[in-house]
Amino acid sequence: MSWDGYVDAYFIKNGFDGGAIFGLNGGQWAAKNLTISSTEIQSIIAGLSNPNDIRAKGIHAQGVKYFAVQADEEHLLGKKDKTGIIVVKTGKAVGIGIFDEEKGLSPGNANKFAYDMKDYLCDAGY
């Protein structure tokens, strides 16, 4: 499966508005309905190493600032009104999904689907 297939299988088909996979160097591997600037992805990756910074500054994606609800070295969850962002980190990549609760995807289910992708990629050596 191509990287685009993982975005489709784990994000889009599960109700996310958009999803992407980036290498830990900030290079985009795949994206669908999600455009993240180089500044935003670098901030997200740095925030996984320093969650306190993300908690203070928020998570920025597509020009939107999300309040950091959860932040640790492997996972970020941000909210803005009824929309949200989830970020999961593997050994070589980060998966990012954008969701909207009003379209039926709850933060809990968003976490589950993102972690399903994370587990699969980790098991595959990524």
Side-chain angles (χ1 to χ4, degrees), residues 79-97:
K79 293 279 292 157
K80 180 177 181 177
D81 302 321
K82 295 286 185 180
T83 62
I85 184 171
I86 181 145
V87 179
V88 291
K89 179 182 174 188
T90 70
K92 297 180 181 179
V94 291
I96 303 171

Side-chain angles (χ1 to χ4, degrees), residues 3-119:
W3 291 113
D4 289 328
Y6 293 107
V7 170
D8 282 335
Y10 288 99
F11 290 121
I12 305 306
K13 289 181 181 174
N14 286 312
F16 285 84
D17 289 344
I21 301 172
F22 287 84
L24 293 179
N25 65 356
Q28 181 178 299
W29 294 2
K32 187 163 188 177
N33 304 327
L34 183 57
T35 303
I36 297 180
S37 72
S38 60
T39 301
E40 290 171 335
I41 191 61
Q42 291 303 328
S43 175
I44 288 169
I45 292 168
L48 288 161
S49 297
N50 183 4
N52 288 330
D53 195 43
I54 285 284
R55 286 187 201 103
K57 296 179 182 176
I59 306 164
H60 297 263
Q62 298 193 126
V64 176
K65 179 182 178 183
Y66 297 89
F67 174 76
V69 176
Q70 297 174 347
D72 61 44
E73 293 176 349
E74 295 184 2
H75 168 256
L76 305 173
L77 175 64
K79 293 279 292 157
K80 180 177 181 177
D81 302 321
K82 295 286 185 180
T83 62
I85 184 171
I86 181 145
V87 179
V88 291
K89 179 182 174 188
T90 70
K92 297 180 181 179
V94 291
I96 303 171
I98 301 288
F99 63 94
D100 186 337
E101 289 182 69
E102 292 183 343
K103 294 180 182 176
L105 186 58
S106 70
N109 282 335
N111 266 329
K112 180 206 175 304
F113 298 136
Y115 268 91
D116 287 348
M117 184 194 69
K118 173 187 161 96
D119 292 343

